[in-house]
Every structure is written in structure tokens, then in C-alpha cells.
Amino acid sequence: MKIEFVDADTKPTEATALAVLAFEDGEYSPAAEALDGAMGGALKRAIAASRFKGAAGQTVSILAPAGVTAGRVLVIGAGKQAAFDAKGAESAGATAFNTAKDSGSEALLLLMPPAGPERQAHAAFGIRLAAYRFDKYRTTEKPEKKPTVTSVAIAAADPKAAAKTFKPLAGLADAICYARDLVSEPANILYPAEYARRVQQLTKLGLEVEVLGEKEMKKLGMGSLLGVGQGSVRESQLVVIQWKGAKDPKAQPIAFVGKGVCFDTGGISLKPADGMEDMITDMAGSAAVVGAMYALAARKAKVNAVGILGLVENMPDANAQRPGDVVTSMSGQTIEVINTDAEGRLVLADALWYCQDRFKPQFMIDLATLTGAIVVALGKDLAGVYCNDETLAANLAAASTASDDVLWRMPLPAQYEKGLESWVADMKNIGPRQGGSITAALFIKKFVNGLAWAHIDMAGTAWKSGSTVPTIPSGATGFGVRLLDRLAADFYEG
């Protein structure tokens, strides 16, 4: 998708959809007022004849009348003018693109209010996210099913300033879309070794990437992680990504750890067939980590950061882990495996221990599509966050609000640990059905060795079917990338 910033007086062509903004309470942007004048009041008459009130997300689309050099005119609701901020600009830009993309127009020209380069840049960012499509495997898609808009121009009083402001946002958009691509890939193509190979290609951004295979992990004693992947013909991998952007390259890093189950059948505790195809997304936590590291490198963030990916397949082979098996984690703690479908926490146990043991970071945040229980509790728009440190929790809450990757803090009640007690090992890998997301977090907490830590259970937010969010097409969301980038930018750079 080509996105550019152009002079405010740029004229559209007949192949262009021309978009202007209108606000609640009958307020119009100057561009909308000028366009309505050129149309002899036809624009406002069309609005009055509809149910359009200017609320965010509302639209009116009309064929351009004689005298207007555009193929179509779009009016985009932007909410209350006094509250129109960067987020509002993202939503308005995305809504304009979504309205125009299947209209037959080849280009979109968006006339923004004269509010400075920041909102114009964020409108472009919203368009970039809205324009995402994962269509690399479609070979027979009919032309009428494909979006017609291939280029977007955003009118600005100072196009150079808007383009400069957009540059870091473009890098962030690339990172989010990269994470979406990873989550969208089918599991026969994106298995652990191929995933690791793709991450290694990101060294071109200045990232350092190291890959540990099963031989190296066995030497480290990672019996918890390796047990999950032992039923697969695909070798498990541990990927270490480093970004050294701080003034002192040896300064204590921040750390992100991602669950990367490239496909999850449930193992011997086999999942039902209905919906199992969605388990290609069970590596979305690791994709968020990759995307965040990509974003930090793209904008040359002044921070040292480490990303750890535990990459496995959970398959029901004759060699697969069985319920009742006991494994020894890298920490030395033993785990009785009650349910092989509670595998993500086993991967994180060794990945987190390795992270804190080797890098001694300021904190660790793990991200995982971990439990169905969190979806029952919070639905599909909020991820649950568990945290043992109040400063980290507060910083995550602020980053969540700023980024729109929405978190809801969940409790870590010590009395629930009793549900993880095992008769044969130090712990079980799963507790009772009630409070399942909480006991999963308490299990993971046993492997952070007292370090400041947060666990983000994003099972409901990694994928949206029938999305109504303008900046998120149906499919992989890229949840977590923007959150972690904002957390680093606002609290840990310098």
C-alpha cells in the first residue's frame, strides 16, 4: 500500500475517492465545509437524509456530482471535535480506507483538519494497519473480491513534517504486520526451525539472533520445554533476540518471553477436531515478542532488550509426552504432567528460567495464548495481566491505555497454589477447572526466581473473527507489539 502526504490543495482525479471528516453536533472540518460549498450544499443534504450524526465510525458515501473532480465523496464520522486526538485520527483514517477499498476507486485522498502533522501521521498509521491482508496463498481470487484502492494520499499543510512524523509509526506498522504474518502462516509452513530461520533474517535491522536446538537445550536441562515437543518430528527451538540500543551495551536489559507453540493438537490429551485449525495461532505470544523487537530496532530505541521465543509443536506421536509423566525443568523443579494440553506453561517455565539466569534483566514479561479460562473471564477484547511488581504493573497499565492493547489486571492469590500440589513431583502442570487462568499464572510464577515479572494471557485477543475494529482486519491482530513498544518508549529508554 503506497501512502504519501501531499499539499493541501491537491486535486483528486475521477479514479479517486475523496474523504472528508465530520464531527458530532453538526461540526464539519474546513475541508468538508469547502467541499459542500463546491457541491452547492449537496453534501450536507445527503448527510441530513441519512442517519449520520458524526459519531466515530459512521460514514456517508455518495457519487461525486458534476464540478467535483473525484469519483466518489466519503464523509467520515470522527466523534466530538474537541476530543479528536491521535487515536481518533487513526480510527478516522482506517474507516476512510475501509469505506473506499471496495468501492471501485483506485486511490483515496483524505482531507484532514488543519491539526498539525501528528494527527495526519496517525491517520496514515491507521490506514496502514487497516490495509493489511494475508493473501499470499490465494491463487484463484477473483478481481472483484480484491480491494481496488492501491494508493492513499493525505493532504497536509506541511507534507514533509507529516512524513517525518510518520516515519517511526511506519516502522511500528511494519512490525505489527510482521507479527500478523507470523500468526497467519499455516503450521506446515511455519514450524519451529522455519520460524527461527525467519527471525534470523531480522539481523538486517541490527538485531542479534541466536538459535538453540534440542541438543543445546538438553545440556541446559530444559526437560519442561523439550517434553512438549518430543512427539513432533519437528525439532524444538529456543530463539534469543537481542537489541542493544542503550548508551551502554552492557546495561541491564528489559526482557520479553513468548510462547511459540507453532501448532497445538493438545498432544495425548487431544483437543476436539472442531476449531483445531485455529491452533496455528498458538504462537501469537512469541509473534508479539518478535514484533516488539522489530519495532525497537526499526526506530533505534535507546534501550537494551532481550526477546526469548520457546518454539515447539505439540503432537500426539507414539513418542509424545503422556499424562502422568514427570519432567525436570531447567530450574531443577519437577513437574507432574496431568494434561498435555496445558503445554504453554511448560514451554514458558524453561524459557523464563533461562532468561533470568543468563541475562539478569530489569524485569520479564511473558506473553501467551494460554488459557480458555481468560476468554471466559474477559472476552475477546481484553487480555489478562498478572504481575508481582507494582511499578511494572502501573507502567503496563499506562502503556495499555496509550496503545489500545487493552489489559485487565488479574489476581495472584497464594491460596490457589494448593491446586497445583502433586503427590509425586514438586507441582502439577494444571490445577482445578475453577480459576484456570489464575492457577496457570501461579504455575509460571514459580519459574521467575523472584524477579519483577508480568504474565499476559492473550488467548482472546490474538485473533479477531468478524472484526469491527477499523485498524484490525479479521484475522491476526498483532496484539502486544504496540503495547511493549510503548512500554519501552515511555518508561525504560534514555
Side-chain angles (χ1 to χ4, degrees):
M1 172 61 60
K2 179 184 177 182
I3 301 176
E4 61 180 340
F5 298 91
V6 297
D7 291 328
D9 58 357
T10 297
K11 301 299 182 185
T13 67
E14 291 185 359
T16 301
L18 178 62
V20 294
L21 304 190
F23 299 93
E24 291 186 42
D25 304 321
E27 297 180 359
Y28 294 87
S29 65
E33 291 283 5
L35 183 60
D36 184 59
M39 294 171 60
L43 187 63
K44 289 185 178 178
R45 287 196 297 273
I47 291 172
S50 72
R51 293 184 174 183
F52 184 88
K53 300 297 182 185
Q58 286 190 316
T59 62
V60 172
S61 175
I62 61 175
L63 293 175
V68 176
T69 56
R72 183 174 298 275
V73 174
L74 310 177
V75 185
I76 308 301
K80 292 188 179 298
Q81 190 167 17
F84 186 68
D85 56 8
K87 287 184 184 179
E90 287 174 21
S91 180
T95 300
F97 174 80
N98 290 332
T99 305
K101 67 179 180 180
D102 297 322
S103 66
S105 298
E106 297 173 3
L108 170 67
L109 174 59
L110 176 60
L111 306 181
M112 291 286 291
E118 182 191 15
R119 291 178 211 178
Q120 292 150 1
H122 276 272
F125 180 64
I127 290 168
R128 176 76 175 82
L129 295 181
Y132 175 81
R133 279 187 106 221
F134 189 80
D135 58 1
K136 64 190 289 187
Y137 301 115
R138 297 180 183 180
T139 63
T140 60
E141 187 178 25
K142 295 179 180 179
E144 59 267 27
K145 294 289 187 180
K146 298 179 181 180
T148 58
V149 173
T150 58
S151 66
V152 176
I154 298 175
D158 188 344
K160 288 184 178 179
K164 183 178 180 180
T165 305
F166 179 55
K167 188 174 180 179
L169 291 171
L172 178 57
D174 287 343
I176 293 169
C177 292
Y178 190 87
R180 289 176 177 178
D181 280 347
L182 291 173
V183 177
S184 301
E185 285 282 8
N188 63 316
I189 293 172
L190 194 76
Y191 47 90
E194 170 60 16
Y195 193 160
R197 186 190 69 79
R198 293 194 188 188
V199 176
Q200 286 176 308
Q201 294 177 341
L202 298 182
T203 54
K204 63 188 178 185
L205 297 175
L207 294 166
E208 297 177 13
V209 181
E210 179 184 353
V211 180
L212 280 65
E214 291 186 352
K215 183 179 179 181
E216 293 86 355
M217 286 188 278
K218 284 177 183 176
K219 286 183 180 179
L220 290 167
M222 292 188 176
S224 183
L225 185 155
L226 290 170
V228 176
Q230 72 186 43
S232 175
V233 296
R234 309 287 196 183
E235 183 172 324
S236 299
Q237 311 271 277
L238 189 81
V239 179
V240 181
I241 314 168
Q242 295 187 66
W243 169 250
K244 297 177 181 177
K247 186 177 293 185
D248 178 4
K250 294 183 179 180
Q252 193 178 23
I254 60 177
F256 310 130
V257 180
K259 171 191 171 185
V261 180
C262 295
F263 194 78
D264 180 22
T265 66
I268 296 297
S269 306
L270 194 67
K271 292 179 180 289
D274 187 28
M276 195 192 288
E277 68 277 6
D278 294 340
M279 289 300 101
I280 65 169
T281 69
D282 210 21
M283 37 60 68
S286 66
V289 172
V290 176
M293 298 300 290
Y294 185 126
L296 294 178
R299 63 179 178 81
K300 308 300 181 189
K302 295 178 175 61
V303 68
N304 292 343
V306 175
I308 306 286
L309 319 176
L311 307 180
V312 302
E313 280 188 341
N314 188 20
M315 302 293 285
D317 172 271
N319 192 47
Q321 186 166 254
R322 296 152 296 219
D325 284 0
V326 173
V327 296
T328 302
S329 67
M330 184 182 173
S331 71
Q333 297 175 94
T334 56
I335 305 161
E336 180 189 7
V337 178
I338 299 297
N339 188 322
T340 64
D341 195 25
E343 84 299 329
R345 65 202 71 183
L346 297 174
V347 173
L348 291 171
D350 279 341
L352 284 161
W353 191 268
Y354 176 84
C355 183
Q356 63 82 28
D357 184 59
R358 176 178 171 183
F359 294 103
K360 309 294 189 294
Q362 298 179 52
F363 62 79
M364 298 186 294
I365 298 173
D366 76 75
L367 300 95
T369 49
L370 206 72
T371 68
I374 201 67
V375 184
V376 173
L378 299 179
K380 297 245 178 175
D381 294 325
L382 287 76
V385 60
Y386 299 84
C387 190
N388 66 354
D389 181 87
E390 293 306 313
T391 298
L392 179 58
N395 292 347
L396 273 168
S400 168
T401 299
S403 68
D404 266 358
D405 280 351
V406 185
L407 303 177
W408 189 268
R409 192 170 182 187
M410 301 289 284
L412 284 166
Q415 64 267 32
Y416 280 33
E417 291 186 17
K418 187 172 181 61
L420 296 171
E421 292 178 358
S422 165
W423 71 274
V424 68
D426 295 327
M427 70 195 81
K428 299 185 295 187
N429 76 322
I430 194 169
R433 180 180 177 85
Q434 298 86 352
S437 179
I438 297 172
T439 52
L442 288 167
F443 175 93
I444 294 167
K445 183 172 178 282
K446 294 177 183 293
F447 299 91
V448 303
N449 205 19
L451 192 71
W453 154 83
H455 160 60
I456 297 175
D457 191 340
M458 50 182 281
T461 59
W463 187 274
K464 280 191 180 294
S465 298
S467 175
T468 58
V469 181
T471 55
I472 303 177
S474 293
T477 65
F479 182 94
V481 176
R482 200 172 177 185
L483 170 75
L484 298 182
D485 179 70
R486 191 63 184 256
L487 177 75
D490 288 353
F491 299 103
Y492 297 101
E493 287 190 52

